[in-house]
Amino acid sequence: MALIVQMPQGGQRGGEQSASDEPDEEADQGAWQTQMSLRVAGLGSLDVMLRFAPKQLDITLSAENQEVLARLHTGEADLRSRLQACGFEAVGLHLIERQGKGGSV
């Protein structure tokens, strides 16, 4: 397992943004980002990226195995409703097929 945690950027506050900044960058203020790479028996390699902002959660899951993605897709609605029950008003969930490195899962 590998884990990366990025703290919110605090340098640009109170109108310090340039006029060319996109709205997404404004939304990134106060957002925590976490990335994990996991190797799970029976599932293979999974990459997980979480972005936490107040009342918002964005999850990106990527896997090499189509069957794993299909299983994740099957539970997508349940996961989304459970996260909303935890207080997240907006939950983004993205499932991506990652190209393999030639190894079997």
Side-chain angles (χ1 to χ4, degrees), residues 3-5 8 16 23 26 29 33 36 40 43 45 48-49 55-57 59-60 73-75 82 84-87 99:
L3 174 66
I4 299 170
V5 177
E16 293 180 29
E26 185 175 316
Q29 288 185 5
Q33 292 187 19
M36 292 180 280
V40 182
L43 297 179
S45 176
V48 181
M49 188 169 103
K55 304 273 183 181
Q56 298 177 358
L57 176 63
I59 303 171
T60 302
H73 184 67
T74 300
R82 287 175 180 235
Q84 288 172 335
C86 291
Q99 296 300 319

Side-chain angles (χ1 to χ4, degrees), residues 17-39:
Q17 286 183 310
S18 70
S20 64
D21 284 351
E22 297 295 321
D24 287 344
E25 288 190 27
E26 185 175 316
D28 283 344
Q29 288 185 5
W32 286 78
Q33 292 187 19
T34 302
Q35 294 177 311
M36 292 180 280
S37 294
L38 307 167
R39 183 133 189 100

Side-chain angles (χ1 to χ4, degrees), residues 54 63 94:
H94 314 280

